Structures are given as structure tokens and as C-alpha cells.
Amino acid sequence: MERSRFELAESAIPTAWYNVQADLPEPLPPVIHPGTKEPIGPEDLAPLFPMELIKQEVSQDRYVDIPETVRDMYRLWRPTPLVRARRLEQALDTPAHLYYKYEGVSPVGSHKPNTAVPQAYYNREEGITHLTTETGAGQWGSAMAMACAFLDLECEVYMVRVSYDGKPYRRTMMESYGAQVTASPSSSTAAGKRVLEGDPDSPGSLGIAISEAVEAAVASDGKKKYCLGSVLNHVLMHQTVIGQEALAQFEQAGEYPDVVVGCTGGGSSFGGFVLPLLAAKISGERDTRFVAVEPAAAPSLTAGRYTYDFGDEAATTPLIRMHTLGHGFVPAPIHAGGLRYHGMAPIVSHLYELGLIEAVAVHQIPVFDAAQLFTRTEGIVPAPAPSHALRVAIDEALRCKESGESKVIAFNLCGHGHFDMKAYRSYLDGELVNYEHTEEKIAAALEGVPAI
Amino acid sequence: MERSRFELAESAIPTAWYNVQADLPEPLPPVIHPGTKEPIGPEDLAPLFPMELIKQEVSQDRYVDIPETVRDMYRLWRPTPLVRARRLEQALDTPAHLYYKYEGVSPVGSHKPNTAVPQAYYNREEGITHLTTETGAGQWGSAMAMACAFLDLECEVYMVRVSYDGKPYRRTMMESYGAQVTASPSSSTAAGKRVLEGDPDSPGSLGIAISEAVEAAVASDGKKKYCLGSVLNHVLMHQTVIGQEALAQFEQAGEYPDVVVGCTGGGSSFGGFVLPLLAAKISGERDTRFVAVEPAAAPSLTAGRYTYDFGDEAATTPLIRMHTLGHGFVPAPIHAGGLRYHGMAPIVSHLYELGLIEAVAVHQIPVFDAAQLFTRTEGIVPAPAPSHALRVAIDEALRCKESGESKVIAFNLCGHGHFDMKAYRSYLDGELVNYEHTEEKIAAALEGVPAI
């Protein structure tokens, strides 16, 4: 029996996060204050984040030590397995070697706790007892709720109303961890009230929920801080435990990937897997291809503009240089809720501009075709978001079949689909649609991007 | 950092199943034909099962080799981790060492695929292309659906109507694997029609669903065979991969359990964990305590009678000597659907009679109290069934706190609760009840047990 699973001992959990900023050929553009149009300083972010995370956001150190308390919690699910998908390879009849790093083994079913735990930890270290955040489909909210349970923090989650009603099991999970979950828009914030006055039946949006969570933190006189599950530099850095483990596992396997694929919404799943492997490409040591896969319904890299824009719809955050569809862009209701974001992580955007990574946009029906094939061959029902990466990994493997090349292709299976069965139901019932004609929507939304 | 996770390489997946029948101090009583009252022969079971499984059912060999194809599929989720629950220990402030073997890492979220895969395999080896089975909450149906997807078999699942309607996501999961799922009672079998004639709105029961699945197999002229997910000797034997791995992992940990706890419905989760550790107790080498935990709503070991009874409500199966509440006993609607069975595996019953294992019955509210504590300390939301074992493991750990003993306590966490969020919702909303007064129901049902 040739090996398929590459497991590491818990002692192999990384001891430091990798900070790609140390190795970038050009530095990241600064974050800009929307009023002064000047680069922001730590004090601008202090009402929202603890100082250690603000430092990490701009750190140029190659490695940042992982606190022992955080590593101790990581081992509840880390190291995660790297698996060679032999049965999928057989079904595709491809000479390619297909690997997936499986983050669905975490208690909440995704990679999100990798950053939720350190974010909760640093807040607690600085005396914070109460955190606010938003969640769409619920993956990030679940991760924060769990992290807060571990560290005895209060957790306040603003959950987009349409998900609150449609995905009640995610809410139950968060409440099982002890979190307080509020449907957004709510009447407990000014931002929420404003929306409800205009539309008492508003289904909510991630943008509104962010505004509520931010307001709740800012209005607390420093008692509460706010947490974000993607986009920011420190979030991507925390996720690099994924790629670091994968490097050790590829060494076990005696192979090195030719093509690395990840899905991109805010960029944390992609960044976590890719960044530790990117150093060898930047240095010229390896010629790995890195492919970011985004939904055709929110194609920030492939169809957005690289410019300064707000991180939220309500235009309250600092301005970030990134690939954006315009902060007013509302993606079509695809089932990969975590990929429905108008912007892209500054690090991922920067790498794309530098030509170090590629990007491709895919529609959801072929994504679910790939997910079903994976389910029937490898057993795991994948979440809709990483199924985007899976789709492109399969396409690469099929190209290998044509060319006869036995490339090594790896993708980040960053979550399972146990809470996404409604989406699979739609797929099985033939009710899924590919959303076309986003171009006009993008053009309109880009008109709202501020001039810098 | 002291170790908490004990992972094995895939090469450590057992190469044979352990058959406790070889080591029993007294042999199991024979299975009896309800008409002749004589022990049944292989030909009596041939319409339902492939010959290899019938042989395994009565085999006296200590080990039965695991086919390489089955091991190859096992490694999609095996070996599973053994984890020391250090955070739970801290929360309990106990000197005890608490370990759990975690079977929830399988793609369907439980230990059930350990036997679903070999059952599908042996059927396929004997030329069968179509399998029938029943499922209550859906764990077993999902496992069979996955196994059939792996081996290109048709899978026909009769799902208890109340679960079909109330747990639609399990149905979606089974259909994603390609299975055909029918709400039971259905109009596609005589047994189903009979029930529907009496009550067109029948919510169904496991007993009815078994009758439908058995009928579909028997009526197929050998084209279809039937599969069962617990109770039978070969099912418990397939599950011994759990305990065998655990033995290797305890060796890594440098500890050996003093108390081993498992939940019992049909007995497969308990048997799979316990049987490989029992040999050392039978031989006198170890003095381990083994505790079977059953729901107070279906207390076959602690309040049933050890006698010959039918395996199904419709009284169509051979007669099995086991602890039974009477085949007409319908357990109260507790959330641990997999534990709602009137009988107990013959092997588990026999061990209880021999005094080799203990048994205790627990109510569901304290079970969910334990589950919530586990969720908030260890992160994993446990399924209601293994939360019964968890409850008793915690009680043992609390006794150690009083006595000051640092016993090693281990339990089988045989599944996660991702598809049981409705139960957690009831718990959080204070709507859960403990079902009392089952004694009269049991006394009435025992009157229907046949006289042998």
C-alpha cells in the first residue's frame, strides 16, 4: 500500500508564523486614512484592535513566534493531514498527482480557528474581555465563538439576517460555544437601526454586519474590540501554519507541487496555504505556479480594479489598496458565502500585480460538479468555497491527462460542507444557476470608488 | 508541551479484525429459527447476506484478515486520533487522565463506515450490485451510501419518515453519494403499504424500515442483499479497528486505561472500542473496568431481560439471545436516535452476563450538560449518542477528584454532532426532557417476547 496520508506529530505544529512581508520584492502600499489621505498610524486602529495585532499587521519580521497558549489550542485540530487523492486521480484517469491539505478537521470545520484563536488570545492578553465580529454563513463566527469559549471571553456575533434565518444550525453551534448571536441588521446599533428604518425586512449583508460589529466595539469605550476573519495581513500570517505544515508533509511524500491552487474570497485560505511556498518562488529556487480561484460572481482579481477602496459597504474603514469591485458591489447569492466579498487581501492583490500568482474565475455549477465527484471518490463533502479550488485542480489534472504530464497539483480543502447541505440540495434538484452579466454591475460599483 | 494527540501512520491501520469469539470463556448461544426453534444454518441467512459475512458471523478464528481494498478505503479517514482531553481535565479539576478515541473524522462523521465498507466489499465480491438498508437519524445510511459510491454499488436506503422530514440534510448527504433514499413507510413494499393503510401519516420506526429493507432484498431473487449497521457479530468485529488502534496509541502515551466507557444502542461503537482491550481482562492480565452506557429511555442491559427475541418490531428475523426490552418496545423520542433500539448485540449481552462488563443508564439532560462542557473545552460538538459515554467518563473523573486517584479513563467519541444541531437547539432553549416511567412500558413489551 503506497502512502496517501501524510500526518505530522503535534510537535510539528509550527512555532512561528511566516510573514511574507519580509520577502516581498516590493513593499505593500500603505493603508490610507480616508480623511487625511495620509498613511494611517497605529493609533487609528487602536479603537478596533489590540496593539500586538496592529504591530503584526505592519511587521517586517520574517517570523513571528506563536505563543505557547495558542499552540496548545492549535493541537486540538493541528497538524491537519495532507492527503493524496488517489481515488480521485483514478476517476480522472490522470497521470497527475493530486494532493489536498484538509483543514475541515478543525472543530468548526474550516481553517478559520487558526486566526480566531490568536486574535482572541492577544485581546485577552491586553485585558479585553469582550469581542465583536460579524459572520455571513457562519464559519468565521463559529471559529470566534470557539476561541472565546477557550479563553473565557464574551463573544458578540452579528450574523447576516438571511443566514441567521436560513442557516439556524450555525447559530446553534455558536451559541453552544456560549456566543451571543444577533441577526443583522439589528436595533442594537445605530447602523442597524438606520437600515431597519429604510427596510424593516432587510435581509442584511456582510457590509452592514461589519458596520454593526465595528460600531459595537468603537462605542464601548475600549471595553470591546473587533475581529476580522480575512483580508488583513495578520490574518493571512496566522493562516501560514497551513502551508508550513504542508511543506513538511510534501517532504514526507518526496514530492513538491508544480501547481498550488486555493480559493479566494478575502484571501486567508489562499494566503495561508500559498505564502510559505511562495518564498522559494520569490528567491528563484522553485518555479511553482500559484492559482487563485475566485467565483465568477465576485471576480475581484480577474475583473476588478487595483486601487484604494473601503473594506466595507458603509465606507467606514481605512482605505486599502486592493483589487476591488467597488465597495458598493453586492455579489450574486452564490452558495460559497465566504467568497462573496468585493475586495481582496492587500497581500494577495500585491502578489497578483507582481505576477507571482495567477487568478481564474469559475461559475458555481461546474464547481458543484467537481464537489460531487470528490464526494463520491474521496468521501468528504467539501464546502462550496474550497470546491472552487478543487474545480481548477481537477481541470489542471485533466490537462495533464491530455499532455501526459504527471504534475504534482495541490489545493487547500479549507472546509467541509456539513453546514452547506442546502446548497447540495439545490444542486441535486437542478436548481443551481450560474450568474452571468456581472460586468455592468461591476462598472457601476467601480464608479463609487474614491479618487486617491 | 506535553503530548495530547496520538496519531498513527496509515501503515498502522490494522491488517486483521479481532474476533472476540475466539477468546470467550463460554461460547455465544446459537441463533434460533423462529419456526423450528433449532439453531439456524448459513442457508437461512443466505437470502440476506453474502456467504463471507455469514461465515464471519460464526467464525471462531481470533483474527480475520482485512482485504487490501478495504484497508485502502479505511485510510481515507483511518487511523483516527486518540486525544488526551487536557482542557476538559482542567475544567473538571480532576487528577484523572481523560482520553477519547475520535471516530468523527470519518467523512460521514462517525464510526459506521468501518463496517459499511467491508459489507459493501464482500457483497460486491460475490457479484451483488445492489444493497438495501434502513436508517434512522442517517449516520448508518450515510456510511452505506458512501461505501456503495466507492464500490460502484446501487444503494437503497429506507429512512424513517420522521427523520426523512426532520433531518433533510442527512438525506441530501446520502443522495450526494448517489444513494436512493425513500421515506419509510413507503408504498414500494408490502410491509410499508400495510402500515400506510392503517395510518397514512405514520411517522415510521426503525422496525418498519428494517422490514421494508429486508423485504426489498428478499423479494429481489438474489439481486439485492441487505446490510445492518450494528448488533451482529461481524459488525462488531469490523469495528475492532478502533480498539486495536487505541492499544497502539495508549502504548505511545505510556498509559493504559483503568476505565473504558462506550455508549450502547445496538452495541457496535462499544464493541469496536472495548473488544480488543477485553482479551487482556479475560486472560487475567489486566483488571480494566468496561462500562456500557445506555439511554434511560432504552435500558436493555440494565432493565431488560436476557432471553431470545426478534431483532425487529415486525418479528421477521431469526431469534437472538440478547438483553431485550421486548421487540414491541418503542423507546421515547430521545435525540440519540442511534441508541433507540429494543435489544443489544449478542456479544455485548453475553459479556454482561459473564460479568466482564458493567452497564449504566443515563438521562438525556445530564448527557447534554456533558456535551456542552466538552464543546466549550475541547471544541468538538459531540453527537448525542457518544455524549452518553462522555457523561459517564466525566462522572468517573469527578469521583477521582474526590478520591484523589489519577485513573486513566477512556471513551469512544464515535461521532460529531454536525447533523444534530436541532437537539442542541432544544437543549439551549430548555426544551429537553428526561423521559421517566419506562418500567411499565418495558413490562408490557416483555410480555410479547416469544417463549423458547
Side-chain angles (χ1 to χ4, degrees):
Chain A
M1 191 164 76
E2 282 184 283
R3 286 186 70 184
S4 285
R5 286 180 78 84
F6 302 91
E7 301 272 8
L8 300 170
E10 62 185 339
S11 56
I13 295 172
T15 55
W17 294 298
Y18 168 66
N19 181 11
V20 75
Q21 291 193 66
D23 290 323
L24 290 174
E26 292 172 29
L28 285 174
V31 174
I32 297 288
H33 191 288
T36 64
K37 308 274 157 99
E38 294 295 319
I40 60 164
E43 66 286 359
D44 294 308
L45 294 172
L48 291 181
F49 303 112
M51 202 44 68
E52 177 58 30
L53 291 179
I54 295 171
K55 275 190 210 157
Q56 290 184 7
E57 188 66 15
V58 294
S59 167
Q60 300 296 310
D61 297 339
R62 184 165 288 112
Y63 290 100
V64 173
D65 283 346
I66 303 175
E68 204 50 29
T69 305
V70 172
R71 275 190 88 218
D72 193 46
M73 289 172 188
Y74 273 173
R75 65 181 173 172
L76 291 171
W77 67 97
R78 307 210 69 83
T80 64
L82 179 79
V83 185
R84 179 153 166 210
R86 290 187 191 270
R87 293 178 46 80
L88 176 59
E89 290 172 16
Q90 281 161 21
L92 296 171
D93 190 24
T94 175
H97 294 189
L98 269 166
Y99 288 86
Y100 62 91
K101 179 74 170 162
Y102 186 41
E103 292 289 308
V105 293
S106 92
V108 299
S110 79
H111 66 299
K112 292 293 186 189
N114 298 332
T115 184
V117 166
Q119 288 193 45
Y121 171 79
Y122 290 119
N123 273 287
R124 189 190 147 114
E125 285 295 289
E126 297 186 23
I128 300 303
T129 59
H130 196 127
L131 295 177
T132 73
T133 197
E134 73 290 327
T135 199
Q139 277 283 17
W140 170 243
S142 302
M144 270 317 302
M146 183 180 81
C148 287
F150 290 170
L151 288 153
D152 277 325
L153 295 167
E154 299 288 316
C155 183
E156 187 178 331
V157 182
Y158 292 87
M159 185 176 192
V160 175
R161 162 66 75 180
V162 65
S163 295
Y164 183 92
D165 293 336
K167 296 186 92 179
Y169 293 167
R170 272 287 174 200
R171 177 191 151 204
T172 301
M173 187 183 227
M174 288 184 262
E175 291 179 352
S176 291
Y177 289 121
Q180 182 205 319
V181 184
T182 305
S184 167
S186 78
S187 55
S188 52
T189 68
K193 276 183 202 152
R194 213 176 305 129
V195 176
L196 287 173
E197 275 164 26
D199 177 8
D201 298 322
S202 165
S205 77
L206 214 39
I208 298 166
I210 293 178
S211 302
E212 290 206 274
V214 166
E215 182 186 324
V218 172
S220 72
D221 285 329
K223 285 197 204 88
K224 307 178 184 179
K225 300 268 180 191
Y226 166 75
C227 301
L228 190 66
S230 191
V231 181
L232 301 176
N233 302 339
H234 69 269
V235 177
L236 270 63
M237 187 181 75
H238 296 160
Q239 293 292 358
T240 60
V241 289
I242 303 171
Q244 289 186 72
E245 285 178 9
L247 278 170
Q249 289 163 314
F250 282 121
E251 208 166 297
Q252 271 190 22
E255 303 211 89
Y256 196 90
D258 299 299
V259 188
V260 177
V261 189
C263 64
T264 43
S268 80
S269 162
F270 179 81
F273 192 31
V274 160
L275 297 179
L277 286 80
L278 198 89
K281 176 153 182 165
I282 294 174
S283 71
E285 195 192 325
R286 296 275 189 184
D287 192 28
T288 319
R289 283 178 54 210
F290 298 99
V291 186
V293 187
E294 54 188 17
S300 54
L301 286 170
T302 55
R305 186 186 296 164
Y306 186 55
T307 184
Y308 275 99
D309 198 6
F310 294 101
D312 69 330
E313 269 182 288
T316 58
T317 68
L319 290 167
I320 306 164
R321 185 129 197 230
M322 60 180 176
H323 288 84
T324 179
L325 302 162
H327 61 275
F329 182 84
V330 180
I334 54 167
H335 284 284
L339 306 185
R340 294 182 63 237
Y341 187 63
H342 69 275
M344 183 50 60
I347 287 176
V348 175
S349 295
H350 189 61
L351 295 174
Y352 188 58
E353 284 302 303
L354 293 173
L356 287 165
I357 64 170
E358 307 164 31
V360 58
V362 292
H363 280 292
Q364 72 175 348
I365 293 177
V367 163
F368 275 85
D369 290 339
Q372 179 166 287
L373 178 62
F374 192 82
T375 298
R376 294 185 182 181
T377 51
E378 297 291 318
I380 297 165
V381 182
S387 297
H388 284 68
L390 167 64
R391 171 74 265 169
V392 169
I394 287 176
D395 291 343
E396 290 285 340
L398 291 173
R399 271 194 281 281
C400 285
K401 185 182 174 179
E402 278 177 33
S403 67
E405 291 170 285
S406 52
K407 284 187 188 168
V408 177
I409 302 163
F411 71 99
N412 188 13
L413 184 56
C414 62
H416 62 58
H418 297 171
F419 291 85
D420 300 286
M421 283 296 150
K422 219 172 169 175
Y424 278 92
R425 183 77 263 155
S426 297
Y427 173 70
L428 289 169
D429 292 344
E431 289 168 1
L432 225 55
V433 290
N434 290 332
Y435 294 95
E436 308 282 352
H437 310 299
T438 51
E439 296 82 0
E440 305 89 59
K441 263 172 69 182
I442 295 170
L446 283 176
E447 284 177 22
V449 168
I452 295 289
Chain B
M1 193 163 80
E2 282 184 282
R3 285 187 70 183
S4 285
R5 287 181 78 85
F6 302 90
E7 301 272 8
L8 301 170
E10 62 185 339
S11 55
I13 295 172
T15 55
W17 294 297
Y18 167 66
N19 181 12
V20 76
Q21 291 193 66
D23 291 322
L24 290 174
E26 292 172 31
L28 286 174
V31 174
I32 299 286
H33 191 287
T36 64
K37 310 275 159 98
E38 294 294 320
I40 59 163
E43 66 287 357
D44 293 309
L45 294 173
L48 290 182
F49 303 112
M51 202 42 69
E52 177 59 30
L53 290 179
I54 296 171
K55 274 191 211 157
Q56 290 184 6
E57 189 65 16
V58 294
S59 168
Q60 300 297 309
D61 298 338
R62 184 164 287 111
Y63 291 100
V64 173
D65 285 345
I66 303 175
E68 204 50 31
T69 305
V70 173
R71 276 190 88 218
D72 194 46
M73 289 172 189
Y74 273 173
R75 66 181 173 171
L76 291 170
W77 67 95
R78 306 210 69 83
T80 64
L82 179 79
V83 184
R84 180 154 165 209
R86 290 187 190 270
R87 294 178 46 79
L88 176 59
E89 289 172 16
Q90 281 161 22
L92 297 171
D93 190 23
T94 176
H97 293 188
L98 270 166
Y99 288 86
Y100 61 93
K101 178 74 170 162
Y102 186 40
E103 291 290 309
V105 293
S106 91
V108 300
S110 79
H111 66 298
K112 292 293 186 189
N114 297 333
T115 183
V117 166
Q119 288 193 45
Y121 171 79
Y122 290 119
N123 273 287
R124 189 188 146 115
E125 285 296 289
E126 296 185 22
I128 300 303
T129 59
H130 196 127
L131 295 177
T132 73
T133 197
E134 74 290 327
T135 200
Q139 277 284 15
W140 170 244
S142 301
M144 270 317 303
M146 183 180 81
C148 287
F150 289 171
L151 287 154
D152 277 324
L153 294 167
E154 299 288 316
C155 183
E156 187 177 331
V157 183
Y158 291 88
M159 185 175 194
V160 175
R161 162 66 75 180
V162 65
S163 295
Y164 184 91
D165 292 337
K167 296 187 92 178
Y169 293 166
R170 271 288 173 198
R171 177 189 152 206
T172 301
M173 187 183 227
M174 289 184 262
E175 290 178 354
S176 291
Y177 288 121
Q180 183 204 319
V181 185
T182 305
S184 166
S186 77
S187 56
S188 53
T189 68
K193 276 182 203 155
R194 213 176 305 129
V195 176
L196 287 174
E197 274 164 26
D199 177 8
D201 298 322
S202 165
S205 76
L206 214 39
I208 297 166
I210 292 178
S211 301
E212 290 206 274
V214 166
E215 182 186 324
V218 172
S220 72
D221 285 330
K223 285 196 203 88
K224 307 177 184 180
K225 299 268 181 192
Y226 166 75
C227 301
L228 191 64
S230 192
V231 180
L232 301 177
N233 303 338
H234 69 268
V235 176
L236 270 64
M237 187 181 74
H238 296 159
Q239 293 292 357
T240 60
V241 290
I242 302 171
Q244 290 186 71
E245 286 179 8
L247 277 171
Q249 289 164 313
F250 282 120
E251 208 167 296
Q252 271 191 20
E255 304 211 90
Y256 195 90
D258 300 300
V259 188
V260 176
V261 189
C263 63
T264 43
S268 80
S269 162
F270 180 81
F273 191 32
V274 161
L275 298 179
L277 285 79
L278 196 89
K281 175 152 181 166
I282 294 174
S283 71
E285 194 191 327
R286 296 274 188 183
D287 192 28
T288 320
R289 283 177 55 212
F290 298 98
V291 186
V293 187
E294 54 188 16
S300 55
L301 286 171
T302 55
R305 186 186 296 166
Y306 185 54
T307 184
Y308 275 99
D309 197 5
F310 295 101
D312 69 332
E313 271 182 288
T316 58
T317 68
L319 290 167
I320 305 164
R321 187 131 197 228
M322 61 180 175
H323 288 84
T324 179
L325 303 163
H327 61 274
F329 181 84
V330 181
I334 53 167
H335 284 284
L339 305 185
R340 293 182 64 236
Y341 187 64
H342 69 274
M344 183 49 60
I347 287 175
V348 175
S349 295
H350 189 62
L351 295 174
Y352 188 59
E353 285 302 302
L354 293 173
L356 288 165
I357 64 171
E358 306 163 31
V360 58
V362 292
H363 280 292
Q364 70 176 350
I365 293 177
V367 163
F368 275 85
D369 290 339
Q372 180 167 286
L373 178 62
F374 192 82
T375 298
R376 293 185 183 182
T377 51
E378 297 292 317
I380 296 166
V381 182
S387 297
H388 284 69
L390 167 64
R391 172 73 265 169
V392 170
I394 287 176
D395 290 343
E396 290 285 339
L398 290 174
R399 270 194 280 281
C400 286
K401 186 182 173 180
E402 278 177 33
S403 67
E405 292 170 285
S406 53
K407 283 186 188 167
V408 177
I409 302 163
F411 71 99
N412 188 13
L413 184 55
C414 62
H416 61 60
H418 297 172
F419 292 85
D420 301 286
M421 283 296 150
K422 219 172 168 175
Y424 279 92
R425 183 78 262 156
S426 296
Y427 174 70
L428 289 168
D429 292 344
E431 289 168 0
L432 226 54
V433 290
N434 291 332
Y435 295 96
E436 308 281 352
H437 309 299
T438 51
E439 296 80 0
E440 305 89 63
K441 262 172 68 182
I442 295 170
L446 282 176
E447 285 178 22
V449 167
I452 295 290

